[in-house]
Amino acid sequence: MWGGNETEPTNFTLLGFFPEFRYITALVSIVLLIYMAAFIGNTLLVLLIWLDSRLHTPMYFLLGQLSLMDLTLTSSIIPKMVANFFSGWQSISFLACRTQIFFSLTVAIGECILITVMCFDRYVAICNPLRYPVIMSPRMCWQMAAMSWAGGALTSFGHTAFTLHFHICSPREIPHFFCEVMAVLRIVCEDISAYEKAVVVTSILVLLLPLSLILSSYVLIFLAVLRMNSPEVRNKTLATCSSHLCVVGLYFGPGMCIYMRPGSAKTPKLNQGLFLFGTVLTPLLNPLAYSLRNKEVLCSLKKLMGRFQSTR
């Protein structure tokens, strides 16, 4: 039990984030408030897309899937982190740690695939509008959503199984506020250089390949926008595309800084800050990026609020 390695499943200790920060209680309270706002915002967006027939389009269907992924990601991490902090109980079970790794990776990889699919939706809508209803059929939308979830889950399953099969050194203290793959690998007692290379390769495939497809698509989209004769149509198209580009930056930016930045393993505090941004602020900003810049979503929200007030 007290040797250098342990093979049996047992609890881990989460050391939390910024333990030396003077106002850590205030910071955790702010994180909890942002989480609640993100949870409400994404839940409301999913409900609007589900209830309003005007939002039953491929773009909003995919946006609803993105909100579901955000809800899954932030709810698998933040409640446990906040509960641990306020209770003073830093322990997390082997099963709970495995669950956090699986769901966080599933959603993170799935979101990269989904955002790429959303870019394809905009490309077809702008560059090939006559065939848009045929290409982006309801069946195709469901297949794209299933591909995003399944692609994330399958990749995550492999990494979760590999990460937790290694021998973990005592005292099994994870230098993070949740069970994150790279943080867990830092307390492994074996030579994992080969697996770390596999993580880098996965990062390149999950981040760089979709990002290159997105940027290539947007070059073609902007060329098509410049050829539009109507200023009103051009401005509406640019507004929609700018919202999607904001989402691209919110998701891909932190991920590339964490997994592809040279010397990233030597800056754990910066990585924790980026993870905090990705798990709390990004799910909050995602619905805002679309709702505040989209008249259809705002009209749907006003309609729903009008129904609620009329029933009181």
Side-chain angles (χ1 to χ4, degrees):
M1 176 78 180
W2 302 103
N5 298 340
E6 296 179 14
T7 56
E8 69 276 6
T10 185
N11 289 359
F12 295 92
T13 299
L14 295 172
L15 299 182
F17 61 97
F18 311 134
E20 72 284 353
F21 187 65
R22 185 175 179 181
Y23 304 104
I24 188 65
T25 302
L27 179 59
V28 174
S29 300
I30 292 172
V31 169
L32 178 59
L33 291 175
I34 296 175
Y35 162 72
M36 294 172 64
F39 186 90
I40 293 171
N42 282 283
T43 302
L44 183 59
L45 187 58
V46 171
L47 287 175
L48 290 176
I49 294 172
W50 179 45
L51 294 174
D52 195 334
S53 58
R54 293 175 299 179
L55 302 181
H56 292 176
T57 64
M59 184 183 77
Y60 289 112
F61 172 80
L62 297 174
L63 179 59
Q65 294 295 314
L66 187 63
S67 288
L68 287 175
M69 288 186 176
D70 279 340
L71 286 170
T72 303
L73 175 64
T74 190
S75 296
S76 67
I77 296 173
I78 301 303
K80 176 63 177 176
M81 182 201 76
V82 173
N84 277 9
F85 176 80
F86 285 111
S87 67
W89 184 256
Q90 295 180 300
S91 179
I92 183 171
S93 68
F94 181 87
L95 179 60
C97 184
R98 182 171 58 187
T99 302
Q100 274 197 343
I101 293 177
F102 176 76
F103 279 106
S104 61
L105 280 180
T106 295
V107 173
I109 297 170
E111 283 177 338
C112 291
I113 299 173
L114 185 63
I115 292 172
T116 307
V117 168
M118 293 172 69
C119 177
F120 175 75
D121 169 74
R122 291 298 84 204
Y123 168 77
V124 176
I126 296 168
C127 298
N128 201 354
L130 296 179
R131 296 196 61 197
Y132 181 74
V134 178
I135 297 175
M136 296 301 297
S137 63
R139 181 180 179 182
M140 176 61 71
C141 291
W142 279 106
Q143 289 176 345
M144 288 178 169
M147 178 183 66
S148 301
W149 284 98
L154 291 174
T155 308
S156 175
F157 180 81
H159 281 294
T160 303
F162 264 102
T163 300
L164 294 179
H165 98 281
F166 292 118
H167 296 290
I168 305 297
C169 298
S170 294
R172 305 177 72 92
E173 294 178 344
I174 300 174
H176 217 303
F177 59 87
F178 77 104
C179 282
E180 188 266 328
V181 171
M182 299 305 292
V184 174
L185 291 178
R186 289 178 62 187
I187 61 173
V188 168
C189 298
E190 303 178 39
D191 179 15
I192 55 171
S193 56
Y195 179 64
E196 287 178 329
K197 292 178 182 178
V199 172
V200 172
V201 172
T202 302
S203 302
I204 293 174
L205 292 176
V206 170
L207 294 171
L208 281 187
L209 182 58
L211 186 60
S212 62
L213 293 174
I214 290 171
L215 295 179
S216 300
S217 298
Y218 265 101
V219 170
L220 299 176
I221 288 174
F222 284 126
L223 290 175
V225 170
L226 292 176
R227 292 195 295 266
M228 293 179 178
N229 296 323
S230 172
E232 182 179 352
V233 175
R234 188 187 303 119
N235 292 336
K236 182 179 179 181
T237 304
L238 288 175
T240 304
C241 292
S242 62
S243 297
H244 185 253
L245 282 175
C246 288
V247 172
V248 171
L250 289 172
Y251 283 95
F252 282 86
M256 294 182 69
C257 288
I258 294 170
Y259 292 106
M260 302 188 66
R261 178 170 51 87
S264 175
K266 300 178 181 179
T267 56
K269 293 181 181 179
L270 176 59
N271 290 347
Q272 288 188 28
L274 292 170
F275 268 112
L276 197 61
F277 180 90
T279 55
V280 180
L281 284 176
T282 297
L284 174 66
L285 296 175
N286 169 36
L288 293 178
Y290 279 93
S291 62
L292 293 180
R293 300 174 63 91
N294 196 302
K295 293 181 180 179
E296 293 174 329
V297 175
L298 291 175
C299 289
S300 179
L301 180 59
K302 292 177 181 178
K303 183 179 177 181
L304 182 64
M305 292 177 63
R307 286 183 184 177
F308 178 75
Q309 291 177 353
S310 64
T311 57
R312 295 180 63 180

